[in-house]
Amino acid sequence: MSQPSIHSLLQDLKSADSLVRDQAIQQFWEMWFMQKGVYGLQQLRRSQTMLENGEVLAAEALLNQMIADQPDFAEAWNRRAVLYYTIGEFQRSLHDCRKVLEMIPHHFGALHGMGLCYAAIGEYQSAIKSFRRTLELQPYSLINQKLILECTMML
């Protein structure tokens, strides 16, 4: 069975059928995590386990090394953005989200993450813009719709 095209998956994100949307989301995440093969996937998982175990510095060091070795590995940048968001380093997270979007403009996870960072630092207009860009890709995303409303109420 052949891999669906990115264009086809982007269309599936807009499907009225939630099963089709969920499958497209899953395929995108698999594509992004597997960009550098099994070894890259294992390293990403290892960094996530470290973060979940409270080993923030070790997880950051691993992600830093991955990015230094393979600066085009978008998901390594995205995972580091998640790490920085988790520890309240919102500007650093925004920087990494922007790097992801330079490589993969349709990375809905990075767009959503940017919105979360902007909201966390009180830049609600920028947050709304990020969540709206995410909705252009995923119009049925209830969380992004909700976050737009919350940020609008904060203005």
Side-chain angles (χ1 to χ4, degrees):
M1 187 156 126
S2 67
Q3 186 91 335
S5 72
I6 289 174
H7 177 75
S8 173
L9 288 174
L10 288 170
Q11 290 307 116
D12 287 351
L13 290 176
K14 298 175 182 178
S15 172
D17 184 334
S18 64
L19 184 58
V20 171
R21 290 192 311 270
D22 290 346
Q23 288 174 342
I25 290 167
Q26 182 63 34
Q27 287 180 313
F28 270 120
W29 284 116
E30 287 176 17
M31 187 183 327
W32 296 334
F33 271 79
M34 288 297 296
Q35 178 190 356
K36 295 296 181 177
V38 174
Y39 180 75
L41 173 65
Q42 289 171 339
Q43 294 297 83
L44 290 174
R45 286 183 177 162
R46 190 169 152 228
S47 73
Q48 183 61 35
T49 300
M50 290 172 175
L51 183 58
E52 289 169 1
N53 291 334
E55 301 169 30
V56 175
L57 294 177
E60 181 183 18
L62 176 58
L63 291 166
N64 288 343
Q65 189 60 55
M66 292 174 70
I67 289 166
D69 292 345
Q70 300 177 337
D72 64 334
F73 190 1
E75 199 54 36
W77 287 93
N78 192 55
R79 293 292 97 200
R80 193 172 73 174
V82 170
L83 180 146
Y84 287 148
Y85 177 82
T86 301
I87 62 172
E89 294 281 344
F90 304 119
Q91 292 297 337
R92 293 173 84 185
S93 182
L94 280 168
H95 171 269
D96 285 0
C97 287
R98 287 185 192 103
K99 293 296 284 187
V100 174
L101 293 168
E102 286 174 15
M103 292 179 263
I104 305 175
H106 59 269
H107 197 298
F108 48 80
L111 281 169
H112 177 77
M114 282 183 72
L116 292 174
C117 289
Y118 282 128
I121 60 176
E123 292 185 25
Y124 300 112
Q125 290 285 15
S126 295
I128 291 168
K129 183 178 176 184
S130 293
F131 295 135
R132 283 187 178 149
R133 285 181 59 201
T134 309
L135 281 177
E136 290 172 11
L137 297 168
Q138 296 178 291
Y140 291 92
S141 173
L142 295 178
I143 187 66
N144 287 298
Q145 293 173 21
K146 176 181 178 259
L147 289 166
I148 288 170
L149 291 174
E150 289 177 5
C151 288
T152 302
M153 289 176 21
M154 298 302 291
L155 292 175

